[in-house]
Amino acid sequence: MALKFKSSGIKIDSPQIQNAKVELTPLGIKTPMELGSDRSGIFAMNFNIGDQIADNFRNLLMTNSGDRLGRTDFGANLRNLVSELSNSPDFESKAMAQISESVQKYMPFIDLESFSAVPDQNVSASLAKVDIRIVYNVQRLGISKKQIIVSIYSIG
């Protein structure tokens, strides 16, 4: 008895495959939150893994310990450091140590490449602002030399 597989699938060179439109799956909500389109739903979504990693990394840097419900140790805890040490000579080393520790714990796939912190002297006397620039790589995904800049404000 001969078996026939005539209806068991579609050939790869078929026009159905060649002209198929691939819909990307949303990976996460884009922050800061904004209204979405028909494609993403009620909130705008990230469809690219590199954008989602950058978004999650920014959230990690901007979060202080105790800010997240259920994950009280989540975050780089930079706001307290800015208010205490923004003009201190060892600010950069302490900030980089805190960032490295939180990245190792929550996003170990990120390789930190460079770090720089620039205090902004043009804000009022009661407000401290530091711009933190980090260059990072995610080797498994082929993401290299991606840059993120975060501004940390603290009243003090």
Side-chain angles (χ1 to χ4, degrees), residues 63-136:
T63 303
N64 279 336
S65 297
D67 285 354
R68 282 266 171 109
L69 192 61
R71 284 202 171 172
T72 56
D73 61 337
F74 181 84
N77 215 26
L78 295 175
R79 196 175 315 127
N80 295 339
L81 193 64
V82 167
S83 63
E84 296 170 10
L85 301 169
S86 62
N87 292 323
S88 173
D90 63 343
F91 170 76
E92 284 195 21
S93 62
K94 287 189 177 189
M96 190 59 195
Q98 284 185 213
I99 291 169
S100 294
E101 183 181 325
S102 61
V103 165
Q104 285 303 314
K105 186 171 186 176
Y106 290 104
M107 300 181 86
F109 50 86
I110 289 181
D111 298 321
L112 300 174
E113 186 172 302
S114 68
F115 170 86
S116 65
V118 179
D120 190 348
Q121 306 298 333
N122 296 328
V123 291
S124 69
S126 62
L127 185 68
K129 177 188 175 197
V130 177
D131 292 326
I132 296 175
R133 179 183 168 270
I134 299 172
V135 177
Y136 66 95

Side-chain angles (χ1 to χ4, degrees), residues 17-41:
I17 299 293
Q18 297 292 327
N19 300 329
K21 190 175 184 181
V22 177
E23 288 289 324
L24 296 175
T25 304
L27 299 171
I29 297 174
K30 186 186 282 188
T31 56
M33 293 176 74
E34 53 190 61
L35 291 177
S37 62
D38 292 337
R39 182 175 176 214
S40 62

Side-chain angles (χ1 to χ4, degrees), residues 129-146:
K129 177 188 175 197
V130 177
D131 292 326
I132 296 175
R133 179 183 168 270
I134 299 172
V135 177
Y136 66 95
N137 305 312
V138 182
Q139 292 181 355
R140 290 186 216 159
L141 297 175
I143 298 170
S144 63
K145 301 206 185 286
K146 182 100 173 178

